[in-house]
Amino acid sequence: MTFRATCLASAAVFAVCAAGPLAAQNKVDVAIVGDPDTFDPMISTKDVVSIVTQHFMETLYTFDESWQVVPLLASDMPTISEDGTTYTIPLREGVSFHDGSQMDSADVVASLNRWQEVASRGMAIADRISGIEATGPAEITITLSEPYAPLTTLLAFSNSAAVIYPEEIIAPQITDPIGTGPYRMEAHQPDQYTQLVRFDDYAQPGEAAGERAQTPDEIRFIPVPDTSTRIEGLLSGQFDYADSLSTEAFGRIEASDVAEPVLLEAFGWPLFAVNHKKGLMTDLNIRRAVQAALPYDDMLFAAFGDEKFFQTDGALYPEGWPWHNEAGIELYNINDPEKAAEYLDAAGYDGQPLRILTSRQYEFHYQMAEVAQMALEMAGFTVQMDVVDWATLAQNRDNPDLWDIYITHSPFLPEPTLTSSLFATAREGWANPEKEAILERFTAESDPDARKDIYAELQQQLYEDVGLIKIGNFNEVQGKSRSLTGVTPSPWPTFWNASKDQ
């Protein structure tokens, strides 16, 4: 359906218009950093895709508020064989897709088979999956060639997600998504909005997953690439919620009568993703030179401005997480240009530009990149900064000919193997025999304490081989209208329980 709307955008103003007489009375407007480039969450690891699609696409499992895996489209947790290789998963009955058809085991099998072929996280374990079959109208069985302890966590994640589609639409590319979620997509106006409306035949999940109350009639996700524009729209009352705001605006939002800040403490970690497939960074000495040259304190201060918004911390998980350890962190925050120059000499560096791919839609990425460029040039690098919009960055990072480092970030995830960069199948292509052996032991081990010890080995290997470069920890600033309730703070906020005081 196409609606007529006249909308204006500038650095200071972003006006979003109602869609005529069909506009919902109970509508939540959410400002996000950009337009999703796909509505097929299987093929994307971008948060902007996950935030939108989780409202209309669903997985077999999800997470509760304590990040424990609970059933969603499955009716219970799986029955797992003693050797850890067979997962029998019962399915909920009476679940409708948005096209009116009923979900059954054939839909789930077809979807999971596609997931292991096209999704980065599915591909990472595809060689361990011996088969996925329907063992009843409301039951599937996944057979593995060897144990894989984080399987249910992987099936629960909304990013590179194992979502369930009707069998009839399964194809290498899906442009018109049909899901089971509490909302369905009504309209998408590129670079203007994505409109979701309530799915009246939605079947509520069990108690463990929590009620998805479908309180708003309509949810609109509005791409607003400029951080300042998201902030001004929130403060003016134009947006009910705004994602990824600059820390400098925290005080203004806090003092507002209209809006209030949402602070997610120890939210995640900014990182420099390393190209292990082609280019300069395939040389270990070059990687170590970058690792030695970067001034993490200065980069974090430039990006976040106040120590209440960041921590200079090399552990891949902060204190308080079960995965926290300090293996390898002596190689974190070296900040020594002379040491970096020694590594460059050992590599025979000839001045070839180090290409850093970044974007200003996440302004803190760009601010870190500026400080990094100065430090790397001081160490002897020639640096080429390629600053593009986020959609172009997401496209270019899939081509290893175009970059040496790209800047990104990740929330802290409940299971380390959800970090796709650890796998050789990821776009970065980090692979070496020692790391692969550690990772294989880690994913096969089911004992929690043993897994923690193996993860420490993996962190040590990441630092020694410079698999990726963690910059530190940061706290995320989001913002919401003071009249909006029912939204639980999260890296991927959901709005099916959101309501506004009139």
Side-chain angles (χ1 to χ4, degrees), residues 156-212:
F157 199 38
S158 63
N159 181 294
S160 187
V163 293
I164 306 304
Y165 285 117
E167 179 185 17
E168 291 75 16
I169 73 165
I170 295 296
Q173 294 186 341
I174 296 176
T175 56
D176 296 315
I178 297 173
T180 59
Y183 289 81
R184 58 179 178 80
M185 192 160 72
E186 178 73 4
H188 174 230
Q189 294 289 343
D191 300 320
Q192 293 186 33
Y193 61 82
T194 301
Q195 180 194 31
L196 308 185
V197 297
R198 185 189 296 113
F199 176 44
D200 291 333
D201 292 329
Y202 181 63
Q204 289 288 339
E207 182 178 347
E211 184 181 18
R212 303 187 170 196

Side-chain angles (χ1 to χ4, degrees), residues 218-359:
E218 176 185 330
I219 306 168
R220 284 205 181 198
F221 293 96
I222 303 152
V224 187
D226 182 71
T227 307
S228 297
T229 308
R230 291 198 298 278
I231 293 165
E232 297 305 324
L234 178 71
L235 291 172
S236 70
Q238 182 137 25
F239 305 134
D240 301 304
Y241 204 95
D243 188 33
S244 190
L245 304 179
S246 63
T247 56
E248 290 91 342
F250 186 88
R252 283 187 66 205
I253 301 170
E254 192 173 37
S256 168
D257 293 332
V258 175
E260 60 187 3
V262 177
L263 184 65
L264 281 68
E265 299 194 49
F267 167 88
W269 46 307
L271 62 113
F272 280 22
V274 170
N275 188 344
H276 292 267
K277 294 180 178 179
K278 291 185 177 181
L280 280 174
M281 297 293 278
T282 59
D283 186 315
L284 177 58
N285 279 315
I286 296 289
R287 298 200 299 274
R288 287 178 171 170
V290 174
Q291 184 184 60
L294 293 178
Y296 300 125
D297 290 289
D298 293 342
M299 293 167 67
L300 290 165
F301 187 80
F304 302 107
D306 189 310
E307 290 187 355
K308 73 178 179 181
F309 297 118
F310 71 86
Q311 303 86 42
T312 308
D313 179 17
L316 297 184
Y317 280 86
E319 290 186 13
W321 285 76
W323 306 108
H324 174 77
N325 70 85
E326 298 190 353
I329 63 170
E330 67 277 3
L331 298 174
Y332 174 77
N333 205 20
I334 299 170
N335 192 12
D336 186 341
E338 293 182 359
K339 184 67 173 177
E342 291 175 10
Y343 284 124
L344 286 181
D345 287 340
Y349 177 65
D350 61 3
Q352 179 181 341
L354 178 74
R355 299 161 301 167
I356 298 179
L357 180 62
T358 189
S359 170

Side-chain angles (χ1 to χ4, degrees), residues 386-399:
D386 294 329
V387 184
V388 298
D389 62 83
W390 187 247
T392 301
L393 183 147
Q395 182 179 28
N396 288 356
R397 68 184 178 176
D398 287 332
N399 184 345

Side-chain angles (χ1 to χ4, degrees), residues 95-117:
V95 174
S96 294
F97 287 108
H98 298 154
D99 65 357
S101 63
Q102 296 285 298
M103 183 192 77
D104 62 19
S105 56
D107 301 308
V108 177
V109 169
S111 297
L112 294 184
N113 280 331
R114 179 179 186 262
W115 176 70
Q116 64 175 323
E117 293 172 358

